[in-house]
Each structure stands twice: as C-alpha cells, then as structure tokens.
Amino acid sequence: MKNCFRLLVLVLVCMFMVPSRAQTQDPLKPFEEVIQVVALFQRADTCKGASRDGCLMEALEKALAILWQPERHQARMNVYWELLKHGGIQQSETYRRVANDMMAEAERCQENPCLARSHMLLADDYFRAGDLEEAQRESSLALIHAERAGQVDIEIESELNHASILVRSKDRNARVDALNILLQAKLQALEHEDSRALNQCYEELSNFYADIGAFDSSAAYKSRQLQMLIQRGEEDSNRIQELRIELAEPLLKGSNSARGAHILDEVIRYGLKHQKAYLINQAMQYYRNYFLEQKNLIAIARLYNHDYPRALGLLNEPVVRDRVKAYLFDANDQKDSALFYYQRALEGLLKEGSNFQYAYLQLFHGSALRRWGHYPEAIATLKNGKEYAMDYQPFLIRFMAELDTTYRALNQYDSAYFYHLRFSALNKSWDSSVDGEALLRQQIAAQQLEHELAERKAEHLREQRHFIQYLSITLGIVILFLVFCLMSSLSVPKWAITTTGFFAFVVLFEFIIMVTDEYAAEKVQGEPMYLLLCKIVIILLLSPLHHKLEEKLLHYFHEHRLINTSSIWDWTVFKDFKKLFGKENKVPALPERRRSLKPKAVTSSPRKTRKKTDNTP
C-alpha cells in the first residue's frame, strides 16, 4: 500500500476514540493492534503481479479479525476505505467484493456517510469498466445516502461523482442534469465556504464546458480556480504554473488565443529560469497541439528554432523528440530527414499502443508524402492511418479529404469520387452532431444564467457578511482603545491598564497583518519566496512600532491622566445637570432682615472721669 502512514494514523485515532480506557483492560493493546494491522498491509504491498490481490485480501481478513470488537466498527470502515482508495487492487472483481463488504458493514452499523462512499467507489469502478448504467445507479444511491447523512462535504462529493458520470453520457438531458448538479454543488460550497469542494466544482465545471466545446466558459471556471488557489496561498508556485498551463488550453481553443499564448510564454520563461523541464515540456506540448490543429508546421519550427531553442534538448521521451524533429524537418522541407523521423516516431507509437497519436502522426506523414510527390506511399500511409482513426470522427474526415486529394493528383477519379462521397457523408453527420452540441450549449447557457444570478446573490451576501465582520472588528478595536485610554483616568491599578493595553495592541496589529497578508498574497500570486519577503518586511515595520508605541503609551498613562475627573463637574453643562438632579449640597442662606426706617440710637460709651486726688485745688 502506498500510504501506510495514513492508514496508521486513521486506525490509531479510531481505536482511541471509540473504546474508553475502562473498556480496555490492557492500555497498550490498541498500539499492538495498530502495529499488527499496518504490518499486514506492508507485507501485502511487497506482492507484485497477480498475487497482489490475494495478499491484500489475506491482510484484510487478518485485520478484520484483529478489529472484531463491535465498538471498533469505525476502525474497520477506515481499513476498508484505505484499501479501496489507496490499496491498488488490480482486479475489478476483488475491488467490487471489498466495496460490497464495506457496504454491508456500513448497513449493519447504520453509517450513511460510509454507505455513500461505498456506492461512490462502486460507481467509479463500473465507470472505468464502461458500464454507464450501473455507474449511474450506484452514484444515484450515493446521493440518497449522502442526503440522509446530512454532511455537506459528503453530499458535495457525491454530487460531483454523479455529475462526472452523467457528463460522459451521450444523452442531452443527462448532460443538462449534470450541469444543474454541478452548479448546485458550487452554490453549496460557496454557502458553506468549503474551499476544497469549491476547487473540485470549478475543475469539474471547466472540464464539462471543455467537453461540449464551450471553451470560453471552461477558461472562465479554470481562471476562478486559479485565483482561488492563489488567494489561499496553500499551493506552491509549480502547481500554480501547472494550473496556468491548463488555463491556456481552453484560451487557445476559444476566442482569446492571444492571452493563452501569453500565459504559455510566461510559464516557459519561468521554467527556463528555475530549470523546470517538465513545465517547459507541458507548455510546448500545448503550443504544438494548437499549431498542429491549424496545420501550421512553420509556427512549430519558429517556436523551437528561434523562440525557445533550448526546449528541444529538454525532451526526455524519445518518441516525442522524434515527432518534433519530424515536424521541424517537414517545415524546413528537408524530405529525407523528415521521412526518417516520421518513420521512427511511428514505430515508437505503435509499440506504445497509442492509436490516437499514431493516427494523428500518420495523417501528417501521408500529407507530407503527397506534397513531395510520393503518391503510392502517401495512399498506403493514409489508408493505414485511417484504420486507427475509426473512433475519432474529425480525424477520419481529414483522412478522407487527403485520400480524395491524392487520388485526384493521380487522375484516379473513381477512387477520388468514392472518398469524396465518404467525406461528404461524414462531414454532414459531423455538422448535425455539431448542431446538436450547439442546441445543448444553448440549453446549458440558459441554465448557467439562472445559476449565475443565484451565485451573484450568494456572493453579495458573502461580501456583505465579510464587510459587517470587518466593520465590527474595526469598531471593536476603537472601543477597546477608548476603554484603554479612559482606564488611565480612573482609579484602576497599573496591572489592569497594562493588560488592557497589551491586548488592544495585539488585536490592532494582528488585524493589520491579516489585511496586508491577503493583499500581498494576491499581488505575488502565491510565490513562496516573494510572500516570505513581504511578510518579513511587514514584521520588520510593525514589530518595532508595536513595542515602541505600546511602551510609550503605557508609560504615559501610568504617570498621567488623560482626563481630569475632578474638574469635570466645574463645567457649565454639568452645573445645570447638578442643579436639576440636586447634586449641589450647599447650605441654604438665611433670609434677610428688613431694614427699619428709624435711625439707630447712638450709644456712647461712658466718659472716663479723672480721679480726684486729694491735692486737687
């Protein structure tokens, strides 16, 4: 098994969550059981070939025998799930038997989420086997059990599974139903802000529109997926570049081919700068396919000879290198070299068993032989390639046109007329199917418009909710700082002022960092190095400011009062307030005495008489 550590963690968690310590006599027994289960699957993983499934089934039986207790049903379900998802079972019969056993275990324990997942696994297996009816039936049952489970993530997962199966159906109504399911799943993911499910919805919608030929809509959803991953910042820069390459494909096939070519040029320059050969090869492959559909071999030669001469040396696969060299020599009209590399690339493709690529290369090989006058070889090449293009109607039409042109050059008009009739019939059939696709696109456009209105409403509600949250945070920070400032004017101990100030500054600067992080991640497009540099600059600017400002304000508020409360009551406004509510505790004045009209009697002090002495005359 490829991921035994994941199985170890899941089984360990489930073993400790269900049984309590009182139910387990030996506390080390769960550890021993985990080690035994993982060892069984590790030994089974070493088996190769036909014996691998037998080893895995034997390991499963022994693991279930170890986890026989009824309270450990969740651990058994995890073992089933990991074996089916990551075990690498090769035979379809073994896979279905394990999935049915998982379903029976889930029904016995009444686990609707596990039932939904088991039906999804069976639907995938039937879909790989080509049985679309059984796959649709199993995926419908998965939807039913997911709704009963009441878990949004499982419900979205089952909806995506069901829609991916309906898309492959040739029924027009089934495709419209698939679109409705995908759009409904997208709305649920937006409502619950499930980024992982929303990423899957965007990817499935992009693939759906690419399958029906609506490349502009496909590019729009792929662009949304790319922007969401950049904003989250969870993907590395290489994964972002891979998604940009996937975005370029519908852009090249749609109405904005210039933007697609610009994206591919940026990815190639990124790959050359960081020495990422696989990114360069992927981008050049999309470029080649775009020019080959236009039959523009000169553009391919200019791409490899003038624009990116180092790209040819980075091709690791010999067959791809031979094909590219054949195109280059064909564009430069070097007959012998082109025919040599055409023949060698065809031999390599025939060994690999790639009918599509073999027929595609035979078409260009036969066309080159016709242009250089090798008509018998061209007819033999085109007839050989036609047998491999029976399942690809657009290629078959081009083969008939080439054979018609070749027989006309040989003046064999009977054979030319035969292939011309076949070309006309196939072209008419293709035009009718294209008309059906156009009608399907019209129905899908109407459905998409309805869901876009609902999506805009959900987006407006989400933006409104985020605005209210940001406004609440801002008001909370303002109120917190007002409380911090007022505490210095009251009889509050210093430790309370210090604690409030510390908390206020932490909230303020964390809010600033949160806002700047979102802005920086959007600007640098998720580049880890640039994002790290931005965060370092932000911390270097805010950290000294945080500590200095906090220290200064705390020191000032410890020693000073911002508002003098003793002088507040002397203000005129508060004087009237005190008079109204009787807050002034003054002693009432005594009433004035009336003044009398009569003058006051003058009272004189008694005169001082001189003492008579005896010697007075």
Side-chain angles (χ1 to χ4, degrees):
M1 187 173 290
K2 296 182 180 179
N3 201 349
C4 290
F5 289 104
R6 184 177 178 184
L7 176 66
L8 171 64
V9 173
L10 285 174
V11 176
L12 182 62
V13 170
C14 294
M15 283 182 176
F16 278 104
M17 284 178 64
V18 178
S20 62
R21 184 171 294 182
Q23 294 173 343
T24 306
Q25 296 179 357
D26 188 2
L28 296 178
K29 189 175 181 180
F31 288 103
E32 297 175 358
E33 292 174 350
V34 169
I35 294 172
Q36 291 175 10
V37 171
V38 176
L40 287 172
F41 285 104
Q42 284 179 342
R43 284 196 298 268
D45 189 42
T46 58
C47 299
K48 304 296 181 183
S51 61
R52 179 181 177 84
D53 289 351
C55 296
L56 288 173
M57 293 304 297
E58 183 180 357
L60 177 63
E61 292 177 359
K62 292 181 180 179
L64 295 177
I66 294 173
L67 305 172
W68 61 271
Q69 294 90 344
E71 64 271 8
R72 292 186 180 170
H73 65 276
Q74 190 63 44
R76 292 194 294 273
M77 297 304 301
N78 286 329
V79 171
Y80 278 121
W81 174 257
E82 290 296 325
L83 179 60
L84 291 169
K85 199 71 175 176
H86 308 286
I89 299 176
Q90 297 178 355
Q91 297 181 1
S92 181
E93 295 179 358
T94 307
Y95 189 91
R96 293 176 188 176
R97 188 174 69 181
V98 176
N100 287 322
D101 292 342
M102 177 181 176
M103 194 184 306
E105 178 73 22
E107 288 178 353
R108 185 165 55 251
C109 302
Q110 297 181 355
E111 291 281 348
N112 284 316
C114 296
L115 278 171
R117 285 177 173 172
S118 59
H119 283 294
M120 280 189 281
L121 293 172
L122 282 173
D124 291 337
D125 186 70
Y126 282 119
F127 177 72
R128 287 192 296 267
D131 193 349
L132 289 178
E133 293 183 1
E134 288 294 327
Q136 290 181 14
R137 187 180 67 85
E138 293 293 337
S139 61
S140 300
L141 292 174
L143 275 175
I144 294 172
H145 289 291
E147 291 177 359
R148 291 177 181 175
Q151 297 182 10
V152 179
D153 54 346
I154 296 178
E155 188 174 351
I156 295 175
E157 185 180 356
S158 61
E159 287 176 350
L160 293 175
N161 178 266
H162 186 59
S164 63
I165 294 173
L166 290 178
V167 166
R168 304 297 183 269
S169 176
K170 296 181 180 179
D171 187 9
R172 186 185 304 166
N173 295 326
R175 289 189 173 186
V176 174
D177 293 339
L179 177 64
N180 290 329
I181 292 172
L182 287 174
L183 294 175
Q184 185 65 31
K186 184 189 67 173
L187 289 178
Q188 288 183 352
L190 283 172
E191 182 181 355
H192 294 86
E193 297 183 359
D194 190 346
S195 57
R196 184 185 62 84
L198 189 59
N199 180 28
Q200 294 179 357
C201 291
Y202 284 151
E203 186 173 1
E204 290 292 336
L205 283 166
S206 177
N207 296 334
F208 174 80
Y209 282 109
D211 289 339
I212 65 173
F215 297 109
D216 292 337
S217 299
S218 175
Y221 279 108
K222 184 62 70 174
S223 178
R224 290 185 188 181
Q225 180 188 7
L226 180 62
Q227 290 176 0
M228 186 187 68
L229 292 177
I230 291 174
Q231 290 176 358
R232 286 168 55 190
E234 297 179 2
E235 300 290 341
D236 58 355
S237 57
N238 296 331
R239 175 58 181 160
I240 296 297
Q241 298 301 325
E242 292 175 4
L243 287 174
R244 296 187 71 194
I245 294 174
E246 295 176 5
L247 171 63
E249 181 181 13
L251 287 174
L252 288 174
K253 295 180 180 179
S255 60
N256 200 354
S257 58
R259 185 188 171 200
H262 178 69
I263 290 174
L264 289 179
D265 289 336
E266 289 182 348
V267 173
I268 293 172
R269 286 194 292 268
Y270 174 87
L272 291 173
K273 181 180 179 181
H274 297 86
Q275 298 181 356
K276 303 294 183 181
Y278 73 98
L279 289 176
I280 300 172
N281 293 333
Q282 288 181 12
M284 296 297 285
Q285 179 183 356
Y286 284 107
Y287 252 140
R288 286 198 310 270
N289 295 337
Y290 173 65
F291 289 131
L292 287 174
E293 289 180 0
Q294 298 178 347
K295 301 179 184 179
N296 193 353
L297 297 179
I298 297 176
I300 296 178
R302 184 178 66 251
L303 189 68
Y304 278 96
N305 293 331
H306 299 284
D307 297 340
Y308 306 106
R310 292 170 52 190
L312 185 61
L314 297 175
L315 293 172
N316 298 324
E317 300 180 7
V319 177
V320 178
R321 191 186 305 114
D322 292 339
R323 288 169 54 197
V324 173
K325 287 183 177 180
Y327 296 145
L328 296 179
F329 287 121
D330 190 356
N332 295 327
D333 205 17
Q334 300 178 10
K335 302 179 184 178
D336 296 334
S337 299
L339 293 176
F340 171 76
Y341 282 108
Y342 269 127
Q343 191 62 35
R344 199 163 80 170
L346 287 170
E347 292 175 358
L349 288 173
L350 196 60
K351 291 179 182 178
E352 293 180 357
S354 177
N355 295 340
F356 177 81
Q357 296 293 341
Y358 184 80
Y360 200 61
L361 191 61
Q362 283 281 48
L363 180 63
F364 282 91
H365 186 202
S367 177
L369 289 171
R370 178 187 57 79
R371 283 187 283 105
W372 293 327
H374 302 285
Y375 296 115
E377 293 87 352
I379 291 173
T381 301
L382 291 171
K383 286 184 176 180
N384 184 24
K386 177 175 65 70
E387 300 299 326
Y388 290 91
M390 289 297 180
D391 296 333
Y392 313 106
Q393 191 173 356
F395 285 172
L396 195 59
I397 293 172
R398 293 174 65 178
F399 273 108
M400 297 305 167
E402 286 290 338
L403 285 168
D404 179 20
T405 306
T406 307
Y407 277 113
R408 287 176 186 273
L410 289 173
N411 295 327
Q412 298 180 11
Y413 294 106
D414 294 338
S415 300
Y417 182 67
F418 171 75
Y419 284 107
H420 178 73
L421 289 178
R422 296 195 62 184
F423 167 76
S424 300
L426 289 172
N427 203 12
K428 186 177 180 180
S429 174
W430 179 253
D431 289 340
S432 63
S433 64
V434 169
D435 293 338
E437 292 290 336
L439 181 59
L440 174 63
R441 284 196 289 270
Q442 290 178 1
Q443 293 179 355
I444 287 173
Q447 295 288 336
Q448 184 182 4
L449 181 61
E450 181 181 352
H451 282 274
E452 280 183 354
L453 293 175
E455 182 183 354
R456 289 177 185 175
K457 183 178 179 181
E459 184 72 18
H460 176 70
L461 292 175
R462 186 175 66 87
E463 291 179 355
Q464 187 177 10
R465 186 170 64 251
H466 286 183
F467 173 75
I468 292 174
Q469 291 178 8
Y470 277 113
L471 183 61
S472 302
I473 294 171
T474 306
L475 291 177
I477 292 173
V478 172
I479 293 172
L480 190 60
F481 269 91
L482 287 176
V483 172
F484 170 57
C485 295
L486 290 174
M487 286 179 68
S488 64
S489 303
L490 303 174
S491 299
V492 178
K494 288 186 177 181
W495 65 266
I497 299 175
T498 304
T499 305
T500 308
F502 172 77
F503 184 72
F505 277 102
V506 166
V507 174
L508 173 63
F509 283 95
E510 287 298 326
F511 179 67
I512 295 173
I513 290 173
M514 181 187 71
V515 175
T516 52
D517 277 348
E518 293 181 359
Y519 181 77
E522 183 179 355
K523 287 297 181 183
V524 302
Q525 297 182 354
E527 292 284 346
M529 185 62 67
Y530 298 147
L531 191 60
L532 177 62
L533 291 176
C534 290
K535 289 190 175 183
I536 290 174
V537 171
I538 292 170
I539 294 299
L540 288 177
L541 291 175
L542 293 182
S543 182
L545 179 64
H546 178 191
H547 294 294
K548 196 70 176 178
L549 190 59
E550 182 181 0
E551 181 182 357
K552 290 288 185 182
L553 284 179
L554 287 176
H555 178 72
Y556 180 81
F557 287 149
H558 286 165
E559 302 296 334
H560 302 80
R561 286 191 174 187
L562 187 65
I563 301 173
N564 190 3
T565 56
S566 62
S567 61
I568 290 178
W569 299 110
D570 295 335
W571 298 349
T572 307
V573 176
F574 290 102
K575 283 183 179 180
D576 297 337
F577 180 79
K578 288 185 288 185
K579 289 180 180 179
L580 180 62
F581 291 96
K583 293 294 182 180
E584 291 183 341
N585 297 323
K586 291 184 178 180
V587 178
L590 294 174
E592 291 188 11
R593 296 179 181 177
R594 290 186 177 181
R595 293 183 179 179
S596 128
L597 295 177
K598 296 179 180 182
K600 291 184 179 180
V602 177
T603 57
S604 59
S605 58
R607 281 185 186 176
K608 292 182 179 180
T609 58
R610 184 184 299 175
K611 279 185 178 183
K612 291 182 179 184
T613 58
D614 294 338
N615 55 3
T616 302

